[in-house]
């Protein structure tokens, strides 16, 4: 049975729960209790605690690589137990479940949102519902039922729109340089910026500044140049990345998420 | 095929092996060599090294959320290679494999143990059996065969009972206050106690003391109150939890597993 | 459908990508987009950054435990984006995908390499191919197609041989003692050496030296002796291991990967 032939059955989990506790495992147990045929994939469970923006970037860079019909369950939820809504969203190709806190905001910019539903129908929830673990009590059973082919409209009333968040985007200065920022630092210590490839100067000399470091060219790959050299290159998310050949740019530059990165075209 | 229609095929793994080494992956290889249709789920592999009690709490708070027929393989096994027995246990709804060291002790309090077997039949083991990795050589192939529908009795002789361990439980003082303790600290820094919701005063003022901190009310959710406020609430395991709004109670209080938590009804 | 009846569908992933980022999850999305029936298992994603030798040891100690037909995707790839080749290798029982950097060198010593192919056919790749994430753009879709039964020869031209690396092996001194080294330190702090069981003296007194510590006997299991005692025993990979009863040998000895371990037969 392919993902296309029957109801969707691939469920992708993204949380800030970590893997030490039973939280993620128990969610899987609940999903499989509803649909023993569900196919569960972990995207990440190491989002910083309550860091909605980190989850936003990670999911927005990932979802396109999954097959049509995939159900994404994204839980970074500082408001669990309060009156924040839980959303179920259907796009042209995918389903998403998340708290209504901006985490799914990237969907608005990208075409294809068909329906937004406020998940309210308690007959799909575990009973009783705790105030502290909606992942187990609401998200998991709803994902399970969605994967069985239950129509989105069954879970609650339609919403016109969802909350978004102000994801940082690069700006152009009066002098014509481009100022973006580091939006994540990966496992290798690569500094991932929000400066898209298409905004970089197509030709001519350039200078890239991060902290006290300066880089004068774009390199083709992580392995370019001698060990320890600071490099700028186009990363796999389509944005400018700062890297160190066979090393960690985070360690070499001591940069942090939120630090500015400046691209100067035709520097003097 | 549902978990009910055929032999059980969902196998849940809980160990202190960590995820850095090949240990967990190799166990999965052995299980899938026996039963390519087995469906493997990780509950946690980050139990503290040889911390049987931590595994006891984690598994006892988790197993009910899995579908009937699930096979739990729980390995925290300081006695590997000694003469400690390996147990296979069948309850009304589940199967469990674990060393006979108290890890499964919670099953005795909860109704439904049908059979306890001392796993001894070497025809189900890898050959040779190492003295250092029974997860690979015994637990994994036995779990694989169990998931193929082999009857529990095939694995060895019946036992009347298994070892238990003295899990800490709260006590009532002469003055009528309730003294429990922190039994785990989760990824978010929440302090999980062993004080069940049902033992908390149903009404009237109360005071909860942990270390030098005092809390005067139960909050409904993690998001209650301003950022940084210390909260007491009912956690998802049905026990009292100490938390910090948008923060870490472990960091704020410096509390550790084993620290006492006192609940005073109608404090002066 | 068993792993034998149809095309191979078990795909085992080994990388240095970590689990914090979306890298591993996205690779799984790409594989499942090609073959929704693929069964994905994580061997480890915590190989030290660009530590080819660590991946070599881990994979060489693991692959035999997986069912015939398993596809191993091993990515520790300092040369990503340079002109290093990507290899697809078929042995008597398995398939392997890895960069041509020595990671698969152990296959040459062990019988059974049937075919080595230089993966070049871009029609199996994502398009465009980034210079920084061949795991997503090349390895994942090629693994997916391999799991659908595409013949190895379809992916590119045959190679006569692959690169190997100089894995350290123990040597015998003029005085007849055996000098090996620590090749990995596991999650429990066990020091895993490269000294095979078969090279240890079959009888008679012996002394094992690591750093300033000396051990005078082989113990049967991790649980031998009182808590805190330094032990030498045969580990699950078939080599000499240094361990501490209910503790960590890494902490007790402060030993590191690469440190020498000396076995003296009939010491004075």
């Amino acid at each position: 049975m392919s993902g296309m032939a029957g109801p969707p059955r691939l469920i992708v989990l993204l949380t800030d729960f970590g893997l030490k506790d039973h939280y993620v495992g128990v969610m899987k147990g609940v999903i499989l209790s509803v649909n023993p045929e569900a196919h569960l994939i972990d995207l990440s469970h190491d989002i910083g605690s309550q860091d909605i923006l980190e989850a936003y970037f990670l999911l927005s860079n990932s979802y396109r690589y999954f097959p049509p019909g995939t159900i994404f369950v994204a839980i970074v939820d500082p408001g669990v137990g309060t009156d924040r809504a839980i959303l179920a969203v259907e796009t042209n190709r995918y389903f998403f479940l998340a708290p209504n806190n901006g985490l799914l905001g990237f969907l608005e910019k990208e075409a294809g949102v068909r329906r937004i539903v406020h998940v309210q129908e308690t007959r799909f929830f575990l009973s009783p519902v705790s105030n502290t673990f909606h992942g187990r009590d609401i998200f998991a059973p709803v994902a399970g039922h969605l994967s069985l082919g239950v129509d989105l409209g069954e879970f609650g009333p339609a919403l016109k729109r969802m909350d978004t968040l102000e994801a940082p985007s690069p700006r152009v200065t009066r002098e014509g340089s481009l100022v973006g920022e580091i939006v994540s630092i990966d496992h290798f210590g690569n500094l991932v910026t929000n400066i898209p490839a298409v905004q970089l100067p197509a030709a001519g000399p350039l200078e890239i500044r991060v902290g006290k470091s300066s880089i004068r060219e774009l390199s083709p790959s992580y392995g370019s140049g001698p060990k320890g050299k600071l490099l700028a290159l186009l990363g796999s998310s389509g944005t400018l990345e700062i890297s160190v050949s066979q090393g960690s740019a985070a360690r070499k530059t001591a940069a942090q998420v939120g630090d500015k990165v400046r691209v100067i075209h035709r520097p003097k």
Side-chain angles (χ1 to χ4, degrees), chain A:
Chain A
M1 182 182 74
S2 86
M4 304 298 288
R9 61 178 195 115
L10 184 59
I11 299 177
V12 175
L13 304 177
L14 173 67
T15 75
D16 62 351
F17 293 171
L19 289 172
K20 180 177 86 73
D21 305 305
H22 56 300
Y23 301 145
V24 172
V26 161
M27 280 186 62
K28 293 179 180 176
V30 173
I31 293 172
L32 293 170
S33 294
V34 174
N35 180 7
E37 294 301 308
H39 187 163
L40 302 168
I41 295 288
D42 299 303
L43 185 49
S44 174
H45 299 290
D46 286 336
I47 298 292
S49 292
Q50 308 176 349
D51 191 338
I52 298 168
L53 190 58
E54 185 182 353
Y56 172 106
F57 278 114
L58 196 150
L59 185 54
S60 68
N61 284 322
S62 302
Y63 74 92
R64 290 181 202 81
Y65 293 97
F66 286 84
T70 298
I71 298 164
F72 295 90
V73 181
I75 314 179
V76 178
D77 193 9
V80 61
T82 68
D83 62 358
R84 67 86 187 84
I86 291 176
L87 302 179
V89 180
E90 183 181 358
T91 71
N92 286 335
R93 292 169 59 94
Y94 301 112
F95 299 93
F96 296 85
L97 292 172
N100 188 19
N101 60 18
L103 201 166
L104 298 180
F106 59 90
L107 291 177
E108 295 230 323
K109 298 183 205 155
E110 306 174 18
V113 172
R114 286 187 187 162
R115 284 194 286 175
I116 305 173
V117 158
H118 182 171
V119 175
Q120 284 183 332
E121 283 295 331
T122 55
R123 67 194 150 105
F124 297 109
F125 302 174
L126 292 200
S127 175
V129 169
S130 71
N131 276 328
T132 52
F133 194 6
H134 286 185
R136 176 191 69 193
D137 301 336
I138 301 180
F139 286 95
V142 167
H145 284 99
L146 203 49
S147 75
L148 286 171
V150 172
D151 182 80
L152 207 72
E154 298 283 311
F155 296 105
L159 289 179
K160 286 255 170 60
R161 42 179 310 158
M162 53 182 153
D163 288 358
T164 55
L165 52 75
E166 202 66 41
S169 54
R171 64 186 174 81
V172 178
T173 67
R174 274 197 301 185
E175 298 81 28
S177 63
L178 195 59
V179 181
E181 66 183 69
I182 298 169
V183 293
S184 76
I185 296 178
D186 77 6
H187 173 74
F188 296 97
N190 297 313
L191 313 176
V192 182
T193 78
N194 62 348
I195 301 173
V198 293
Q199 289 194 27
L200 291 174
L206 53 68
E207 181 183 2
I208 294 156
R209 289 194 199 149
V210 53
K212 295 177 175 167
S213 302
S214 167
I215 305 167
R216 290 278 180 161
E217 61 182 347
L218 287 178
S219 293
S221 70
Y222 293 133
S224 304
K227 182 170 176 171
K229 187 183 177 194
L230 197 66
L231 307 171
L233 74 177
L234 293 183
S236 61
S237 298
T239 60
L240 184 70
E241 238 175 84
I242 313 295
S243 178
V244 159
S245 184
Q246 299 174 61
S248 162
R251 210 171 305 134
K252 189 180 180 86
T253 65
Q256 307 218 328
V257 169
D259 285 2
K260 298 294 178 219
V261 174
R262 183 180 296 260
V263 180
I264 304 163
H265 195 194
R266 302 193 186 285
K268 288 155 203 165

